């Protein structure tokens, strides 16, 4: 997979390339620097050529595409009739929480976790209850049981887990399902990073587990793996309770037409390209490990099992300011600041390694220079 030069990448106008001035290397937001998958580019080009720019038609294509992808890649049997398009994962999560909660109900999350989880719970009018990951960055099942015993309305699961890159094991997820059934808690599983599980790990979709359909609902998307975030399409996969039946009627109309076309193409004909991407990201993960070992040996990390995001523990620096601030101001490298992800985030940064070997090397070199 060949990534464009920095000069070409800077012509992009997305948030990654327009938030900081040109002397900053942007390795913060989860956008990929690789070129679009040709199957996706072709479908978008054809739509432009045909002036096909109206509303998304919520027909059977998305359900069939999600079901095909889930069966081929994960052995998960999805009923296409249970797949509902939504604008993006954020909109899907907020609408699900609106259905599941009454004002004041609690929703449990496990920080450090994708920062908008905090905002989504607030947007739905619910109360946050935090059960942080354990010290080795796993789900704290004992802590979750204690929280579930207070009967929160829902648990927002990040599967795989951003920012730490953990792919929760089948046993951990099965234990979570048991707890959810015992205490009547609905699990909303954000599986946007599911297609990005790297060699060495195995992804377990929540709803593929026995008993999970009774307590769970999932959100899937092609947007992280195929870099389609700006096109606005994700999908809710209902469990046995048809939660999407209670969505406001206009929700499917808010899906992006280009997003839906691109998602169907990616999930139907994108496997070969995705396999190439996963090999490329595996190499970048190895490269990052080497670079950190030689240039920034005081940073500790667990290489992620999924995603192109690395969670770097910089606490050994004992600096008087957050490392993201130091790396930006002195190194001109933009990373996500750990505190955004909640508990245990201080002293950490999240680095997006979905870029070229040259940019990654330059970024770590600058970080090393900044730390001196
Ligand atoms: C765990 C997780 N959920 C959701 C999103 C955002 O998805 P969307 O743009 O579809 O709302 C991201 C983006 O990085 C993410 O990491």
């Amino acid at each position: 997979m060949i990534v464009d030069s920095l000069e070409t990448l800077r012509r992009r106008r997305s948030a990654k390339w327009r938030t900081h001035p040109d002397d900053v290397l942007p390795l913060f937001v989860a956008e990929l620097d690789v070129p679009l998958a040709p199957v996706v580019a072709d479908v978008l080009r054809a739509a432009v050529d045909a002036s096909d720019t109206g509303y998304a038609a919520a027909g059977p294509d998305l359900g069939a595409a999600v079901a095909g992808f889930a069966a081929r890649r994960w052995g998960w049997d999805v009923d296409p009739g249970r797949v509902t398009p939504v604008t993006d994962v954020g909109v899907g999560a907020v609408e699900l929480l609106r259905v599941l909660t009454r004002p004041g109900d609690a929703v449990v999350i496990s920080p450090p976790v994708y920062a908008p989880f905090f905002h989504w719970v607030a947007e739905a009018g619910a109360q946050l209850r935090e059960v942080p990951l354990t010290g080795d960055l796993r789900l704290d099942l004992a802590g979750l049981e204690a929280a579930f015993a207070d009967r929160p309305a829902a648990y927002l699961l990040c599967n795989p887990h951003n920012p730490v890159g953990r792919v929760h094991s089948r046993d951990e997820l099965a234990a979570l399902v048991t707890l959810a059934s015992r205490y009547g808690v609905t699990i909303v599983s954000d599986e946007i990073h599911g297609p990005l599980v790297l060699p060495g790990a195995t992804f377990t979709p929540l709803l593929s587990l026995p008993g999970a359909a009774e307590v769970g609902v999932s959100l899937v998307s092609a947007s992280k793996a195929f870099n389609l975030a700006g096109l606005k399409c994700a999908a809710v996969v209902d469990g046995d309770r048809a939660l999407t039946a209670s969505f406001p009627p206009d929700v499917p109309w808010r899906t992006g037409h280009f997003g839906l076309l691109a998602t169907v193409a990616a999930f139907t004909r994108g496997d070969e390209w995705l396999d190439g991407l996963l090999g490329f990201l595996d190499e970048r993960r190895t490269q990052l490990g080497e670079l950190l070992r030689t240039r920034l040996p005081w940073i500790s990390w667990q290489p992620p099992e999924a995603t192109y995001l690395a969670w770097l523990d910089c606490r050994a620096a004992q600096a008087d300011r957050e490392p993201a601030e130091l790396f930006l101001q002195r190194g001109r490298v933009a990373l996500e600041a750990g505190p955004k992800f909640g508990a245990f985030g201080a002293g950490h940064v999240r680095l997006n390694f979905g870029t070229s070997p040259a940019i990654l090397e330059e970024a770590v070199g600058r970080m090393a220079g900044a730390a001196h």
Side-chain angles (χ1 to χ4, degrees):
M1 192 155 288
I2 309 287
V3 177
D4 285 331
S5 68
L6 191 54
E7 197 190 355
T8 306
L9 286 167
R10 284 213 164 101
R11 284 192 220 125
R12 294 188 183 184
R13 288 165 294 173
S14 59
K16 185 175 189 192
W17 295 98
R18 289 297 159 106
T19 301
H20 294 282
D22 271 3
D23 66 326
V24 170
L25 281 181
L27 276 67
F28 66 114
V29 68
E31 293 182 21
L32 273 173
D33 290 349
V34 304
L36 266 187
V39 293
V40 171
D42 288 349
V43 97
L44 295 174
R45 243 180 242 116
V48 169
D49 289 347
S51 300
D52 182 11
T53 53
Y55 289 109
D61 296 1
L62 183 66
V66 168
F69 187 84
R72 288 193 310 277
R73 313 258 336 162
W74 306 317
W76 173 26
D77 184 17
V78 171
D79 173 355
R82 291 188 178 191
V83 175
T84 303
V86 282
T87 320
D88 57 23
V89 169
V91 167
V94 171
E95 293 299 345
L96 285 168
L97 293 177
R98 284 191 175 128
V99 173
L100 288 165
T101 61
R102 298 286 157 270
D105 280 354
V107 174
V108 180
I109 62 171
S110 294
V113 74
Y114 180 58
F117 273 31
F118 294 83
H119 316 151
W120 297 344
V121 173
E123 197 176 330
Q127 301 295 318
L128 267 175
R129 169 105 186 236
E130 299 182 34
V131 178
L133 297 178
T134 60
D136 62 352
L137 306 177
R138 294 189 173 279
L139 294 177
D140 177 359
L141 291 167
L144 287 170
E145 170 146 34
F148 285 11
D150 290 339
R151 311 275 168 179
Y155 174 60
L156 195 48
L157 171 70
C158 198
N159 178 38
H161 195 106
N162 172 11
V164 305
R166 167 79 61 207
V167 177
H168 306 301
S169 73
R170 196 181 165 80
D171 286 351
E172 286 167 317
L173 294 172
L176 191 65
V177 167
T178 303
L179 294 179
S181 314
R182 185 176 303 151
Y183 297 104
V185 179
T186 302
I187 306 171
V188 177
S189 187
D190 175 345
E191 304 193 337
I192 194 169
H193 292 286
L196 286 166
V197 170
L198 298 173
T202 304
F203 175 58
T204 306
L206 180 80
L207 293 178
S208 69
L209 289 168
E214 288 155 37
V215 293
V217 56
S218 290
L219 286 151
V220 298
S221 171
S223 71
K224 287 298 116 181
F226 291 86
N227 202 36
L228 310 176
L231 302 184
K232 293 296 163 196
C233 177
V236 179
V237 183
D238 265 312
D240 291 345
R241 284 152 70 204
L243 295 170
T244 53
S246 303
F247 277 7
D250 290 340
V251 167
W253 286 96
R254 296 175 185 149
T255 307
H257 178 45
F258 276 23
L260 197 133
L261 295 176
T263 302
V264 169
F267 277 162
T268 311
R269 289 177 284 120
D271 287 24
E272 198 182 328
W273 182 89
L274 180 57
D275 288 337
L277 175 73
L278 296 177
F280 173 84
L281 294 177
D282 190 18
E283 287 165 16
R284 296 290 69 68
R285 176 174 62 171
T286 303
Q287 183 196 1
L288 179 59
E290 267 308 294
L291 289 167
L292 291 175
R293 198 175 58 74
T294 51
R295 309 295 310 271
L296 288 162
W298 50 271
I299 287 185
S300 65
W301 75 315
Q302 292 184 22
E305 298 169 305
T307 79
Y308 39 87
L309 307 168
W311 183 240
L312 307 181
D313 180 348
C314 309
R315 285 174 296 179
Q318 293 186 329
D320 53 4
R321 50 184 161 155
E322 273 301 317
E325 204 184 307
L326 182 102
F327 291 134
L328 178 61
Q329 286 174 0
R330 299 201 2 209
R332 309 308 282 158
V333 178
L335 307 168
E336 290 290 358
K340 277 177 83 169
F341 302 88
F344 302 141
H348 292 72
V349 291
R350 193 195 73 178
L351 179 151
N352 175 348
F353 59 85
T355 189
S356 70
I359 293 175
L360 191 55
E361 188 173 350
E362 168 75 14
V364 176
R366 288 189 190 191
M367 287 164 67
H372 271 117

